[in-house]
Amino acid sequence: MEKYKIAVIAGDGIGPEVITEGVKVLSCVAKLDGGFDFEFTYFPWGCEYYLQHGRMMAEDGIETLSGFDAIFLGAVGAPGVPDHISLWDLLLIIRKKFDQYVNLRPVRLLEGAPTPLSGIRREDINMTFIRENSEGEYAGSGALLYPGTDREVAIQNGVFSRHGCERIIRYAFELARREGKSLTSISKGNALNYSMVFWDKIFTEVGAEYPDVKTYSYLVDAAAMFMIKDPKRFEIVVTSNLFGDILTDLGAAISGGMGLAAGANLNPERKFPSMFEPIHGSAPDIAGRKVANPLATVWSASQMLDFFGQEKWGARLIEIIEEILTEGKTLTPDLGGTAHTDEVGDEVVRRLVARAEGKI
Ligand code: NAD
Ligand code: IPM
Ligand code: MN
């Protein structure tokens, strides 16, 4: 029997609350299938670990993780530990060390999910963001000069390599070709006169190899506006690290909220483990109250199943999320309900089992 080895980093705040439900759901899927299994190994890394050990993960953390098939991550960040330390030394370092250069984030208005937009059809919000996830504005290149003096200077460089731009743009073209969809590049060549002009040039160059794919190119400010005013323009979208970060939170806002937004950090060559996570943070404002919505994590579990070639189960989870949203009885407060986090997870499991038994 196929056994998938999963490293679980529940992390901080609502991270452990939602990841418990994700693991519950994946375990149920494996049991029902019978042809594969998951072996979950938990790592207590995060801000509490940092306060005890002075580091966000064990010294050999990356080496340890490299032996797994995938990583399932909750969320990182807690008041008391500077965000740039907690995020760089755990989440971002994993993305980089494992060359998870594709951040695949669906922005799709599921059946039953609310949107604040009016005058649009549900199918108008159905995009896949391909966010560059290894360099760009997040390259971590820079310096603080003359700190603490009246001449202090902060420098943060954007790093756009040909290698990095080509591979993400090519990945997006391949996806657009496979799915028969258009591809939109989002950049900012009018102001970022080196990096984004370079990005645009590479988009055109690579595009010449895909004459069958319809392309569009938008400036990021206009793209933000069109995502609200006319979201159906966007099908597959490729963009830089920072723009993708911001626009996918905007995407979450128009497709049910942060409690429903998932993302996969992929190393397409499978040389290293890929990582699956809800795109939301540790939400300290609601942590510990059992009100966090676990459906984003269930969606990322669905992405993990797709990644392992278990697409039937990946699709089943999305169907069940849609059923729960449409029925509207077992929802957390962000979606207008009163259910607790674990009740939503239990409902996913109940429906999985009922389907398998042919009851629904
Ligand atoms: P956040 O995503 O944690 O929260 C933003 C808002 O969305 C909050 O009001 C929160 O209550 C709500 N929310 C988020 N997830 C929810 C869920 N599952 N169910 C219901 N409501 C939900 O963003 P923030 O407040 O800007 O950041 C908090 C901390 O998380 C910071 O330390 C930040 O650096 C970190 N962060 C981590 C990740 C990650 O680990 N992937 C992502 C973003 C932010
Ligand atoms: C995300 C998060 C991270 C990012 C932060 C926490 C570093 O916002 O995954 O969207 O900006 O990539
Ligand atoms: Mn983000």
Side-chain angles (χ1 to χ4, degrees), residues 87 91-92 95 105 131 138 245 277 279:
L87 273 311
L91 179 74
L92 294 178
R95 287 180 184 165
R105 294 184 163 184
R131 167 190 179 193
Y138 282 39
D245 176 42
E277 50 165 350
I279 80 166

Side-chain angles (χ1 to χ4, degrees), residues 12 14 18 47 73-79 81-84 86-87 91 95 105 245 249 257-261 277-287 291-297 332-335 341:
D12 307 311
I14 63 169
V18 293
C47 289
L73 184 128
V76 183
V81 181
D83 275 347
H84 68 277
S86 58
L87 273 311
L91 179 74
R95 287 180 184 165
R105 294 184 163 184
D245 176 42
D249 262 37
M258 296 308 286
L260 270 182
E277 50 165 350
I279 80 166
H280 62 69
S282 53
D285 54 338
I286 57 165
V291 294
N293 188 347
L295 291 178
T297 307
T332 42
D334 55 309
L335 292 173
T341 310

Side-chain angles (χ1 to χ4, degrees), residues 5-9 39-43 65 68 70-73:
K5 289 173 68 193
I6 312 296
V8 182
I9 306 175
E39 182 183 286
F40 297 104
T41 307
Y42 288 78
F43 294 94
L65 290 175
F68 287 83
I71 302 163
F72 200 25
L73 184 128

Side-chain angles (χ1 to χ4, degrees), residues 13-146:
I14 63 169
E17 299 172 39
V18 293
I19 220 73
T20 301
E21 304 313 310
V23 169
K24 190 191 273 180
V25 167
L26 284 172
S27 304
C28 173
V29 165
K31 204 165 140 208
L32 291 174
D33 184 273
F36 62 91
D37 204 359
F38 290 105
E39 182 183 286
F40 297 104
T41 307
Y42 288 78
F43 294 94
W45 301 334
C47 289
E48 243 171 70
Y49 186 93
Y50 178 87
L51 293 173
Q52 280 169 22
H53 301 89
R55 42 189 318 126
M56 286 298 292
M57 65 162 98
E59 206 166 344
D60 59 356
I62 291 293
E63 201 188 315
T64 305
L65 290 175
S66 67
F68 287 83
D69 297 313
I71 302 163
F72 200 25
L73 184 128
V76 183
V81 181
D83 275 347
H84 68 277
I85 293 177
S86 58
L87 273 311
W88 260 104
D89 292 358
L90 191 54
L91 179 74
L92 294 178
I93 203 72
I94 292 173
R95 287 180 184 165
K96 274 174 213 296
K97 290 276 185 195
F98 291 147
D99 209 14
Q100 295 167 348
Y101 63 89
V102 175
N103 191 193
L104 192 153
R105 294 184 163 184
V107 173
R108 180 170 145 209
L109 187 61
L110 297 183
E111 284 296 332
T115 180
L117 302 186
S118 58
I120 59 140
R121 295 168 309 161
R122 185 162 299 283
E123 55 272 25
D124 289 347
I125 303 181
N126 188 0
M127 337 175 180
T128 303
F129 267 76
I130 303 299
R131 167 190 179 193
E132 204 296 315
N133 211 28
S134 67
E135 53 170 37
E137 308 87 341
Y138 282 39
S141 157
L144 277 177
L145 303 180
Y146 323 117

